[in-house]
Amino acid sequence: MPSDPGGSRAFAGRAFDPAAIPGKPEALAGVRVLEVATRIFGPATADYLGLFGAEVIKVEMPPRGDLMRYVAPEGFFWKEVSPAFLSLNRNKLHVGLDLHPPEGKELFLRLAKRSDVVVENLRAGTMDGWGVGYLQLRERNRRIVYAANSGFGQWGPYAAGRASYDATAQAVSGFSAVTGFPDQPPMKAGFWVGDYTAALMSATAILAALAARRKTGEGQMIDLSQAEAMIRTLDWTWPYAGMTGKDRVRNGNVDPSYTPSGIYRCRDGFVAVSARDEDEVIPLAHALGATDPEEASIATPERVGAFCASRRVDEVVRIAEDAGFSAAPVRGGKDHYHDPHLRARGTVCSVDDPLYGRVDEYGPAPKLSESPGRVKWSAKPVGWHNERVFGDLLGMTTGEMEALARKKVIGKWADIPGARPPKGSAP
Amino acid sequence: MSGFAAWVREATEPSAAAGKPEALGGIRVLEFCPGHFGGMVAASVLAEFGAEVIKVEPPDGDPLRLVAPEEILVAGTGLPFLSEARNRRFVTLDADDSAGRDVFRRLALSADVIITTEPPERMEAMGCDYLSLREERPGIVYLSLSTFGGFGPDASRPVRDSDILCQALSGAPYIVGEQEREGVPPRPHEAPTRLGNWHGSFVQGLWGAYGVLAALHFRAETGKGQAVDLSGAESLMMFADYNITWMHTGGKARERVGNFDPAVFPYTYIRCRDGYTFIAAYNDEAFDSLMHIIGRPELARDPRFSTPKNRVALENERALLTVLEEWSGGRTADEILVAVEEYTSKRGGPGAAVVTGRVNRPLETLSEEHWRERGCFLRERDPVYGELLLAAPPWKMSGTPARWKSGCRPPGADNRDVYLGLLGMTEEEYRRLAEAGTF
C-alpha cells in the first residue's frame, strides 16, 4: 500500500507514451458504425468513435458526398481535399451509396444487419421516410444502436422539417446570449461549438447504449437535439433564471463566479489569470501590491488589467507561478502546431496517410493507458472504399458492383475539388 | 405528427423514464474533485446514465459550494454547485487525516471508477494513486483531470485547474471575438473572448465521461482496467475545427473574425426588429435560395458572392451582411423563420439548406413551448434548497433513458448510508470517526 513518491508521474510518462500506441489494442475494436451524415454533428460523432477503434463506414451520396467536403477556409483545398473535412473524418471507410433507389436501401439494410451503431444527422424523420430509419433497421437487427442527431429533436413542435447548424444551437439555447461583452451584441463562437459539444454527447450516449446492450442484447434509439445539448452546458444560467426571473448577462472576459479571473491584455498578447479561492486571491493581491491579507479586495479586474497591460504574457505566467495564483497564455492554432508539450502528448500528432502523405491533426484528448485512441488515416474521396466494404464485407462480386454503379446506386467521387483524389493518384 | 415522430415520442418520453432500466446500473463511481466543476460534470454524465456516484467532500463541504455569482447562496450553496449536483450521494471525509485516508481507500477499493482532480502527489500520499489501487483492484478505471494533463513537458506546471485556464490554452477564445482595427487603440471587446458559460469545464467533464466509458467497454471485453489522463485544455482544443490541418496544409493560423467565418458565409447573426437571429446559406444552391427569399435573386450572380470562395473574403462578408440586414432590420426573428421555411419547404436537396434561429436570451428559451414539451427543463422542490430550475439530461433514449433522479444534498447527508450500508462500518466505528472529525 505505501506508494512510491513520484511513482505516478513516472508511470504516466511510460503508460501514455504516444510511441507505444500502435502496438496496443483499441478500446472499441469490433464495434461497427454506419454514418449517414453531413457536415459536422454526425461526422464528428462517428469520428470520436473511430478514434477509439470503432470501424466507421461513412455512407455518402455519390458523387458529391458530404457537403462538408466543400467547406474550405478561404476556399483553400489541399491535394483536392478541404482541411476542414480532414479533421472530422479520420479512420473512416468511405462508401458512395444512394439511399433513394430500392437497391440502395436494400444494400444499406444489409450493412446495418452487420453493424452495431448507426449515426445520422438528417432532418428529423428523413431516414424513416426513406424506409431505412430505426424501426426498419430494428426489424433486421435488434441489436442496433441508432443515434438520431438533430437540431430540435425527433418530436415536439419545432421538430418537423426545421434545419439546424452549430450556430442555430448556439443561438436558440441561450449560449450566445451569455457570451461576449455587455455593451456589445451577442457573440457567436467562431468555431462550431454547437456541433462538437452535441457530437461528443451523442458519442457518449452511444457508449452508454452499448453498455446497456451488453446486458439486454437489445439496441435502442437515441434522440439528441443539439440545442438541448447546449442548454445542458449553461451551468448556473437556469437556476438563476428560475430564482430571480432575470436573464444572466454577458460578462465579457471576467468570470463572474471567480472575479477577477479572466482574460487580460498584455503587451505582447493575452493571458488568462485564475484565482479559484482565497488561497490564490491573496497571492494575486500581493502581486498587485497588497501588503497584508486584509487587502485581498484590491484584486479587482481593473487592477489585474493594469498589471497585465504593462507586462509580457510570459512575465505574468512566471509571476503567478512564483506567487501562488494561476495563469496561462491565450493560445491559437499556430501555437498548438509548434507546441512540444502537445506533440509529446500526441494531442497534436502526425499521421502517415497512404493517399495524402503526412497529415497533422489534433489527436484524441482522453489518454487511455491500455487501449489508447489514435489517428490511423485521414479522410478519403467519395466511394474510396466501395470495393472493400461492398466486396470484402458484403461479399459482392465485381460484376454486381459494376451493375449497381451503372444504375447509380453506388458510385464514386465527382470530378471536383473536395470530392476527388489528389491529382495523379487515382487508381 | 408523423407515425415515426409519434413512435419516438412515446418511446423516449422523459416523464416515463423512471420505470426503465439504466445503462450504467451496477457501475460505482467515486468522485474526489474538491472545488472542481469539470470533475462534477464527468460524474454527473455517468450518473445520468445510471452509474452510482459517491461524491467525497471535505468535512465542511466542497469549496465549490461557496462559489456564488451575484453572491446568491441557498442554504450555504451557490448556484453553480446546485446546477450540477445531481444523482449522487454526498459523503464527507477528511482526506488529510489518517483515519480519513483509510476510509477513502476502502471506498476507492469498492469502486469501478475513480474521478479525481487532485494532483498525483496528493493521491500517492493517500495511498490512492492509480498504481496502488490497481494492485488490489486490477479492473479499476482511474480518471485524472488537470489543466495540462499528467505527462509531457508542461505537466508539472503549478496551476490549479479552472475553466478560464482551460479555455485560454484550448485555442477557443483565440478564435472568438472581434478583431482589432488598424491604427486605433483596441477597445476592450476587441480581444480573444471567453465562452460565457464554463464550457471549458463542461467539455473536460464530457471527454472525461467518454474516456471512462471507452475504458469500461474495453474492461468488459478484456477484464482490464486502466488509467485515463485528461487535460481540460486539450478537451476543448478537440473542438477547435481545422486549426492544425490548416496550419499543416496551408500554413495558415486561424484568427478571430467576430461573427464572420473564414470558411462559410453567410453564417452569421443578423440584426432584426426584435434582436438578432442566425442566418446561414453557404453552399451555392442555398445561397441562391436565400437571395430569392430576400428579394435579391440577382446577387447570386454578383461576382463578390457567386462562389463559396468569394463569399468568404472578409470584405465581401461585410458587404453581404449589410445587404442581409437591410432586409432583416424591419422583420422579427419569427417572420424571418417563416419566410425561410416557406421557401425551403418547396425546395429539396442542397437548396433547402437555409438555416435560421433566434438568438435567444435565456428567458426566451425558457418561454418556448418546444423545450417544455420535450422535458428539457426540470423544476425540482427540495426541503433544503427550495425550488430549483435545472437543465435535464439532454439524451432521450428508448431503452435505457438518461434521467434526473435527485438533486443537491447538504455535505455528509449520505454518510450513514454509505459508511454503514456500503462499507459495512459498525455503529461504534461510525460514531468514533464522526466524533474524531473524520467526517
Side-chain angles (χ1 to χ4, degrees):
Chain A
M1 163 170 168
S3 306
D4 172 22
S8 298
R9 290 203 187 269
F11 165 80
R14 294 191 306 275
F16 299 111
D17 179 8
I21 289 175
K24 292 185 179 182
E26 295 181 273
L28 305 181
V31 174
R32 182 172 293 136
V33 179
L34 289 181
E35 172 197 317
V36 189
T38 61
R39 297 192 170 97
I40 302 170
F41 187 9
T45 303
D47 180 75
Y48 298 157
L49 299 168
L51 283 178
F52 286 89
E55 177 190 291
V56 177
I57 299 174
K58 181 179 176 84
V59 177
E60 296 181 83
M61 172 83 101
R64 287 179 66 190
D66 183 346
L67 292 178
M68 190 68 194
R69 289 179 174 278
Y70 312 102
V71 172
E74 295 177 0
F76 170 73
F77 291 89
W78 175 75
K79 299 188 182 183
E80 308 291 315
V81 68
S82 164
F85 186 72
L86 286 176
S87 55
L88 291 160
N89 294 285
R90 289 80 61 89
N91 301 351
K92 295 182 184 177
L93 300 175
H94 294 253
V95 303
L97 173 61
D98 186 349
L99 297 182
H100 295 90
E103 299 97 321
K105 297 182 202 304
E106 183 53 31
L107 211 45
F108 183 75
L109 290 168
R110 281 172 66 191
L111 285 172
K113 193 166 162 44
R114 309 180 62 155
S115 298
D116 301 282
V117 176
V118 171
V119 176
E120 57 107 332
N121 70 340
L122 308 180
R123 289 188 205 213
T126 301
M127 291 283 278
D128 184 78
W130 288 350
V132 291
Y134 174 64
L135 295 176
Q136 295 95 355
L137 266 52
R138 190 177 62 163
E139 293 288 309
R140 303 272 187 113
N141 180 358
R142 297 289 300 179
R143 293 172 57 78
I144 202 87
V145 170
Y146 186 105
N149 293 352
S150 65
F152 296 90
Q154 300 294 313
W155 53 272
Y158 295 170
R162 199 180 278 201
S164 174
Y165 287 146
D166 134 70
T168 318
Q170 291 192 40
V172 304
S173 64
F175 172 85
S176 291
V178 303
T179 296
F181 287 76
D183 57 345
Q184 296 292 320
M187 181 53 62
K188 177 173 73 64
F191 60 108
W192 299 312
V193 65
D195 282 324
Y196 299 110
T197 305
L200 178 53
M201 289 204 189
S202 179
T204 304
I206 288 166
L207 294 190
L210 289 174
R213 190 183 75 171
R214 201 177 286 283
K215 292 183 272 192
T216 63
E218 300 262 324
Q220 60 182 307
M221 165 102 190
I222 301 162
D223 169 12
L224 180 62
S225 141
Q226 63 182 153
E228 290 175 17
M230 290 304 281
I231 285 171
R232 175 67 179 83
T233 67
L234 294 189
D235 48 69
W236 53 274
T237 302
W238 308 117
Y240 179 80
M243 199 165 284
T244 66
K246 290 195 294 186
D247 279 314
R248 174 178 173 179
V249 297
R250 288 189 286 286
N251 215 68
N253 265 342
V254 176
D255 184 338
S257 299
Y258 288 111
T259 309
S261 297
I263 290 173
Y264 292 92
R265 182 186 294 273
C266 295
R267 264 164 49 200
D268 61 342
F270 292 84
V271 71
V273 170
S274 175
R276 254 165 53 177
D277 54 27
E278 278 213 326
D279 290 347
E280 291 187 289
V281 173
I282 292 168
L284 172 59
H286 276 293
L288 298 174
T291 48
D292 74 81
E294 298 300 306
E295 285 184 75
S297 61
I298 74 159
T300 60
E302 293 70 28
R303 290 288 290 267
V304 178
F307 180 83
C308 293
S310 62
R311 289 173 170 81
R312 295 191 317 273
V313 172
D314 63 347
E315 275 180 88
V316 175
V317 171
R318 186 179 45 75
I319 291 168
E321 289 187 353
D322 292 343
F325 63 99
S326 300
V330 170
R331 317 194 76 190
K334 189 174 181 183
D335 304 311
H336 292 162
Y337 187 73
H338 297 294
D339 184 349
H341 179 70
L342 296 175
R343 292 273 174 184
R345 289 177 58 78
T347 299
V348 176
C349 63
S350 292
V351 55
D352 185 19
D353 186 83
L355 184 61
Y356 296 105
R358 177 179 154 186
V359 183
D360 286 16
E361 302 257 11
Y362 284 126
K367 314 297 182 191
L368 275 60
S369 61
E370 298 292 325
S371 58
R374 68 203 71 175
V375 181
K376 293 179 287 189
W377 64 84
S378 266
K380 293 288 172 290
V382 177
W384 185 258
H385 295 107
N386 278 0
E387 289 77 14
R388 173 155 166 194
V389 172
F390 299 132
D392 298 353
L393 178 66
L394 292 187
M396 288 172 63
T397 64
T398 310
E400 284 172 310
M401 280 188 270
E402 280 168 2
L404 287 173
R406 274 195 301 277
K407 292 166 95 171
K408 298 194 186 316
V409 174
I410 66 175
K412 296 194 176 182
W413 54 87
D415 190 20
I416 49 176
R420 66 190 174 197
K423 290 200 172 73
S425 67
Chain B
M1 205 176 347
S2 75
F4 175 70
W7 179 86
V8 187
R9 176 169 192 159
E10 186 173 351
T12 66
E13 172 59 49
S15 58
K20 297 188 180 176
E22 294 183 275
L24 302 184
I27 299 290
R28 182 176 297 155
V29 177
L30 187 64
E31 174 194 341
F32 184 52
C33 308
H36 197 286
F37 192 78
M40 277 190 92
V41 171
S44 290
V45 169
L46 298 171
E48 288 179 348
F49 288 119
E52 173 196 356
V53 173
I54 300 169
K55 180 175 178 64
V56 176
E57 300 181 64
D60 50 354
D62 193 308
L64 190 65
R65 287 180 184 263
L66 301 177
V67 174
E70 296 189 17
E71 293 173 20
I72 301 172
L73 284 167
V74 187
T77 301
L79 299 181
F81 190 94
L82 286 172
S83 71
E84 206 51 45
R86 51 182 69 192
N87 292 12
R88 342 160 127 61
R89 292 197 277 178
F90 295 84
V91 303
T92 51
L93 200 53
D94 182 357
D96 293 321
D97 159 272
S98 69
R101 285 177 195 171
D102 175 59
V103 175
F104 189 91
R105 191 173 159 84
R106 284 158 72 188
L107 278 175
L109 289 174
S110 82
D112 300 280
V113 177
I114 309 287
I115 303 177
T116 183
T117 52
E118 290 298 282
E121 291 75 16
R122 182 170 194 216
M123 300 310 289
E124 283 169 9
M126 291 168 61
C128 288
D129 55 296
Y130 173 62
L131 287 177
S132 50
L133 292 179
R134 182 178 72 171
E135 265 178 45
E136 285 180 58
R137 206 164 162 82
I140 203 150
V141 171
Y142 192 103
L143 171 67
S144 307
L145 303 175
S146 59
T147 304
F148 289 100
F151 66 102
D154 291 337
S156 51
R157 279 188 176 269
V159 294
R160 290 173 73 209
D161 192 34
S162 68
D163 171 74
I164 196 75
L165 295 178
C166 292
Q167 285 209 31
L169 289 162
S170 73
Y174 192 89
I175 46 178
V176 179
E178 294 292 347
Q179 285 179 304
E180 292 165 26
R181 297 149 303 150
E182 301 262 342
V184 288
R187 292 175 290 181
H189 69 276
E190 290 166 347
T193 302
R194 62 182 263 281
L195 307 174
N197 61 330
W198 285 337
H199 216 72
S201 296
F202 264 103
V203 176
Q204 181 183 34
L206 279 164
W207 274 119
Y210 183 81
V212 165
L213 286 171
L216 289 173
H217 187 92
F218 185 71
R219 186 179 81 166
E221 295 285 332
T222 64
K224 284 189 183 148
Q226 57 188 311
V228 181
D229 174 48
L230 183 64
S231 140
E234 293 169 9
S235 298
L236 190 56
M237 201 179 293
M238 289 283 290
F239 293 179
D241 295 339
Y242 44 83
N243 262 1
I244 296 299
T245 49
W246 200 21
M247 268 300 296
H248 184 73
T249 63
K252 285 278 241 183
R254 280 192 70 183
E255 301 296 336
R256 61 183 191 275
V257 287
N259 279 336
F260 297 110
D261 190 292
V264 281
F265 209 78
Y267 191 95
T268 190
Y269 293 161
I270 52 176
R271 200 185 304 274
C272 55
R273 213 174 73 208
D274 56 346
Y276 288 84
T277 198
F278 172 59
I279 196 86
Y282 54 77
N283 54 289
D284 285 336
E285 300 87 342
F287 184 67
D288 180 70
S289 296
L290 179 60
M291 292 304 100
H292 277 90
I293 292 166
I294 70 165
R296 302 289 301 275
E298 77 285 0
L299 288 179
R301 294 181 302 277
D302 185 309
R304 291 171 301 167
F305 311 134
S306 57
T307 68
K309 184 167 181 162
N310 292 349
R311 282 195 294 278
V312 298
L314 207 49
E315 65 273 19
N316 295 343
E317 292 196 5
R318 292 204 175 92
L320 193 50
L321 180 67
T322 305
V323 169
L324 290 169
E325 290 191 332
E326 277 166 14
W327 172 76
S328 64
R331 292 170 168 79
T332 65
D334 281 343
E335 287 164 357
I336 291 166
L337 176 70
V338 168
V340 165
E341 290 198 330
E342 256 178 23
Y343 189 87
T344 55
S345 64
K346 289 177 273 180
R347 207 177 158 171
V354 184
V355 175
T356 183
R358 184 172 64 185
V359 181
N360 278 336
R361 288 178 288 108
L363 293 176
E364 289 173 326
T365 305
L366 280 171
S367 74
E368 291 186 307
E369 175 64 14
H370 181 74
W371 315 117
R372 198 200 59 74
E373 226 177 285
R374 285 180 57 83
C376 197
F377 294 103
L378 303 160
R379 255 178 219 284
E380 292 302 327
R381 174 161 280 290
D382 180 88
V384 177
Y385 299 105
E387 190 176 282
L388 286 177
L389 177 67
L390 302 166
W395 307 276
K396 293 172 177 61
M397 299 163 76
S398 62
T400 56
R403 70 201 68 169
W404 187 95
K405 291 184 290 189
S406 61
C408 188
R409 290 181 203 155
D414 299 299
N415 280 357
R416 275 193 76 82
D417 253 18
V418 171
Y419 294 146
L420 273 70
L422 192 148
L423 287 191
M425 278 184 195
T426 61
E427 282 284 352
E428 205 249 306
E429 188 186 4
Y430 181 82
R431 200 173 47 246
R432 185 164 46 76
L433 289 168
E435 281 165 9
T438 301
F439 37 78

